[in-house]
Amino acid sequence: MTTATLANDLRTAAETSNAWPFEEARKIVARLKKRPKDEVIFETGYGPSGLPHIGTFGEVARTTMVRHAFRVLTGDRIKTRLIAFSDDMDGLRKVPDNVPKREMLAEHLNKPLTSVPDPFGTHPSFGEHNNARLRAFLDQFGFEYEFLSSTQCYRAGRFDEALLKVLAHYEEVMAIMLPSLREERAQSYSPFLPVSPRNGHVLQVPIIAHDPKAGTITYEDPETKERVTTPVTGGRVKLQWKPDWAMRWVALGVDYEMAGKDLIDSVKLSGQIARALGGLPPEGFNYELFLDEQGQKISKSKGNGLTIEEWLRYASPESLSLFMYREPKAAKRLYFDVIPRHVDEYQQFLEAYERQDWRQRLGNPVWHIHSGNPPKADMPVSFQMLLTLVSSSNAENAETLWGFIGRYRPGVTRQTHPKLGRMVDYAIQYFRDFVLPQKKFREPTADERKALTDLRDALSQLPVSADAAQIQDVVYEIGRREPFLDHKKKAKDGKPGVSLDWFNMLYQVLLGQEKGPRFGSFVAVYGIDNTIAMIDGALARSA
């Protein structure tokens, strides 16, 4: 099959794919039919008053997926750019809790972040420090993007034309904004925030007069009470954030930008302002917010969620990308217990990819995570299996785990499978921090003791070379008794089914945990003799 035929088949499948990045990309294609252009601009925004966080990753990752889907739909005939925009001209309204030299920062409140000294001492300003952290953060994951600074855009005149449009449509912008404000706020509101030439503060003051022909606004200095007239160009003012967002869309020609569900009203208002300026608001959607383990909205100030550094301490970036890909419009718990499932499900999607046709592949998350070029699946042991092995052996070092792995998969080493090597390290760390503190063994009932004894005896009759399927058959056979029988389902051989209670009991009594991998597979890796010793230990504890 030729490259051209493959590309054509890919586009044909993409045009009807119900994967959400393609649904989003088709909105941009429809937009271009109404307003053709030779370059499509994607944008994500960043507030540099704090460090990049997991929501920043999610927004850039998801936008990158839509961008790639658009490139496939259009055969890459239209140039695309992804702008990572930093609102670094915002005034510093409060001193963050997690930075050094807080007293020094307090002396620079209300100045643009790029005019506030860097408390870390590594960059000319606090804004530039955090911008550098953003770029390093995005580079770490290999995102393709163009960084833009609000300060640089304002001061270099890149926004001048759009700012003059805002001034020319001042009354229309005010008519859009005022109904959304509290009465007290509306009394002093202006879309323009002058940057004081006296002290460099970003001032939130009423505008006394505006002159579209002269390109100026007039305000009263809140301290000296002097009337000041200033041009709106050249970085002498900045806009309030909703008019600023709209102005930016118009000035940069943004075609696509997504935002959190909490910004739905802001997106609507900014969209109205963009239209008032003669522009077209970008396409996009509002993604749901993340929740903590209690189902509460995650807040940076509360610190009640999972940071990106914490996720990457226990799992791969690909597993985090899978979490971001799935159901972006559904609220999801972002807590430590979601990590193991996403690690293993990423591997399952990767293994399925090779067996799928084009239509199925385009609905497979790994296609979007890896921009259409996922790696070969080569993970001989699941993360859940590794966690269970660590738990069963109380392994505090990787060598113990590799001993089990080498027996189960001869020839597999850290050198032959470096990704598995990283997963071994992740599993040990996760076990120490989350599994071990929660480990609690349950005592078996009289019926369960009898079943465990029979399982022990049955396993002792198996040859050492028995594989996972043979072991699982034995586990099933011993489980076919009350109270573990499941009369509503039948096994493939027609025998009565076995309820999950049987397998839950094995993990709760033998391992002190609620769940685990397929038990036959676990025994095959852990070893029949070791499993028999584990059963003996559980029976002795409860004697």
Side-chain angles (χ1 to χ4, degrees):
M1 189 175 291
T2 66
T3 302
T5 303
L6 282 171
N8 186 61
D9 288 349
L10 178 59
R11 281 199 300 274
T12 300
E15 287 168 358
T16 56
S17 173
N18 60 4
W20 69 262
F22 282 114
E23 292 178 342
E24 291 301 298
R26 285 196 287 269
K27 286 158 51 173
I28 307 171
V29 172
R31 175 189 181 92
L32 292 183
K33 290 180 179 178
K34 298 176 182 178
R35 290 197 180 189
K37 55 187 299 196
D38 55 10
E39 183 179 56
V40 168
I41 307 298
F42 296 81
E43 183 182 54
T44 64
Y46 167 62
S49 57
L51 299 178
H53 55 89
I54 206 160
T56 310
F57 172 86
E59 191 165 313
V60 179
R62 287 166 172 167
T63 304
T64 297
M65 292 173 188
V66 176
R67 180 188 183 189
H68 180 254
F70 172 81
R71 294 177 64 182
V72 170
L73 279 174
T74 57
D76 217 9
R77 293 186 302 273
I78 300 173
K79 184 180 177 182
T80 63
R81 288 162 51 211
L82 170 58
I83 294 174
F85 191 91
S86 172
D87 283 303
D88 58 15
M89 201 170 167
D90 287 352
L92 178 66
R93 301 303 176 195
K94 65 178 182 177
V95 178
D97 295 329
N98 58 346
V99 296
K101 301 181 181 178
R102 298 183 72 244
E103 289 184 3
M104 179 274 288
L105 285 181
E107 297 174 3
H108 296 275
L109 287 175
N110 299 313
K111 290 182 180 179
L113 291 162
T114 44
S115 298
V116 175
D118 178 17
F120 297 93
T122 59
H123 292 79
S125 71
F126 187 36
E128 288 165 282
H129 172 91
N130 286 340
N131 286 342
R133 292 290 296 268
L134 171 68
R135 292 195 295 273
F137 175 86
L138 298 178
D139 293 343
Q140 173 187 357
F141 298 104
F143 290 121
E144 180 187 330
Y145 66 96
E146 172 188 340
F147 175 79
L148 281 186
S149 155
S150 176
T151 301
Q152 291 175 1
C153 288
Y154 269 99
R155 291 178 180 171
R158 188 165 184 174
F159 289 160
D160 282 358
E161 183 180 346
L163 287 165
L164 290 171
K165 284 184 180 180
V166 176
L167 188 60
H169 296 274
Y170 186 90
E171 285 80 9
E172 292 173 70
V173 174
M174 290 290 282
I176 292 168
M177 286 302 305
L178 290 179
S180 69
L181 304 172
R182 297 189 305 272
E183 183 176 352
E184 181 182 352
R185 180 81 178 93
Q187 296 299 318
S188 62
Y189 181 84
S190 165
F192 290 99
L193 301 175
V195 179
S196 170
R198 184 174 55 80
N199 58 20
H201 289 186
V202 179
L203 302 175
Q204 298 200 39
V205 293
I207 299 304
I208 299 171
H210 63 282
D211 187 340
K213 289 185 179 180
T216 62
I217 56 171
T218 301
Y219 66 94
E220 183 181 277
D221 186 299
E223 293 183 11
T224 67
K225 305 305 179 183
E226 175 190 4
R227 283 199 170 200
V228 181
T229 297
T230 183
V232 298
T233 53
R236 297 177 181 87
V237 306
K238 78 170 299 293
L239 294 179
Q240 297 269 12
W241 81 272
K242 291 170 189 172
D244 184 86
W245 206 8
M247 179 277 296
R248 194 164 79 218
W249 289 342
V250 174
L252 301 178
V254 177
D255 297 289
Y256 189 88
E257 181 166 5
M258 57 180 68
K261 186 181 179 181
D262 55 337
L263 297 180
I264 287 177
D265 290 339
S266 300
V267 170
K268 291 178 180 177
L269 286 171
S270 295
Q272 291 174 35
I273 295 171
R275 289 189 179 92
L277 301 181
L280 181 67
E283 307 300 321
F285 73 87
N286 295 100
Y287 53 82
E288 261 289 1
L289 305 179
F290 301 128
L291 309 176
D292 65 12
E293 62 177 336
Q294 272 80 44
Q296 301 297 311
K297 173 186 168 184
I298 281 178
S299 164
K300 282 189 290 183
S301 60
K302 291 181 183 177
N304 61 327
L306 188 62
T307 68
I308 195 161
E309 291 81 10
E310 287 168 332
W311 186 296
L312 297 180
R313 178 178 168 84
Y314 306 110
S316 66
E318 292 83 2
S319 63
L320 178 57
S321 293
L322 175 61
F323 180 86
M324 295 300 175
Y325 173 85
R326 302 175 97 172
E327 301 177 321
K329 294 187 179 181
K332 293 185 292 186
R333 289 176 65 255
L334 179 56
Y335 207 66
F336 295 103
D337 57 1
V338 307
I339 292 177
R341 177 167 63 89
H342 283 83
V343 173
D344 281 339
E345 289 185 355
Y346 166 77
Q347 293 300 329
Q348 291 162 14
F349 283 122
L350 205 58
E351 290 165 4
Y353 184 81
E354 289 297 324
R355 305 188 298 269
Q356 295 175 326
D357 60 25
W358 271 120
R359 183 176 298 278
Q360 293 169 321
R361 286 183 173 187
L362 296 188
N364 188 324
V366 299
W367 190 90
H368 299 275
I369 290 169
H370 295 284
S371 296
N373 190 29
K376 296 284 185 182
D378 189 19
M379 191 61 65
V381 183
S382 71
F383 190 63
Q384 185 65 65
M385 176 69 78
L386 291 174
L387 285 176
T388 304
L389 285 171
V390 181
S391 182
S392 59
S393 59
N394 286 313
E396 289 294 322
N397 59 73
E399 287 71 22
T400 303
L401 273 185
W402 282 108
F404 292 125
I405 294 168
R407 182 176 60 206
Y408 180 59
R409 292 281 189 264
V412 172
T413 67
R414 187 184 285 273
Q415 288 69 40
T416 63
H417 289 71
K419 288 185 178 180
L420 178 59
R422 289 193 290 273
M423 202 152 81
V424 165
D425 297 336
Y426 290 143
I428 291 173
Q429 196 63 56
Y430 191 92
F431 169 76
R432 287 172 179 165
D433 291 352
F434 301 109
V435 178
L436 186 59
Q438 302 297 323
K439 204 168 183 179
K440 185 177 181 181
F441 293 93
R442 175 170 75 77
E443 288 197 9
T445 64
D447 287 340
E448 290 168 348
R449 283 184 62 85
K450 178 67 169 62
L452 286 169
T453 301
D454 290 347
L455 177 60
R456 178 209 183 283
D457 294 343
L459 290 176
S460 67
Q461 300 302 311
L462 287 173
V464 176
S465 60
D467 61 23
Q470 292 172 298
I471 297 169
Q472 188 74 3
D473 287 342
V474 168
V475 176
Y476 266 114
E477 195 58 44
I478 300 301
R480 287 193 176 97
R481 63 176 69 192
E482 296 293 352
F484 306 118
L485 275 178
D486 187 336
H487 299 283
K488 293 182 180 179
K489 63 182 180 182
K490 297 285 185 182
K492 291 181 180 179
D493 57 7
K495 293 181 179 179
V498 179
S499 94
L500 287 176
D501 291 343
W502 166 236
F503 299 99
N504 291 340
M505 182 277 289
L506 292 176
Y507 284 106
Q508 291 164 8
V509 172
L510 300 181
L511 293 167
Q513 62 191 56
E514 291 298 316
K515 299 177 181 178
R518 190 174 175 86
F519 197 76
S521 299
F522 162 70
V523 176
V525 181
Y526 190 53
I528 292 175
D529 290 343
N530 288 333
T531 305
I532 290 171
M534 180 190 295
I535 295 173
D536 286 340
L539 292 173
R541 280 197 309 270
S542 59

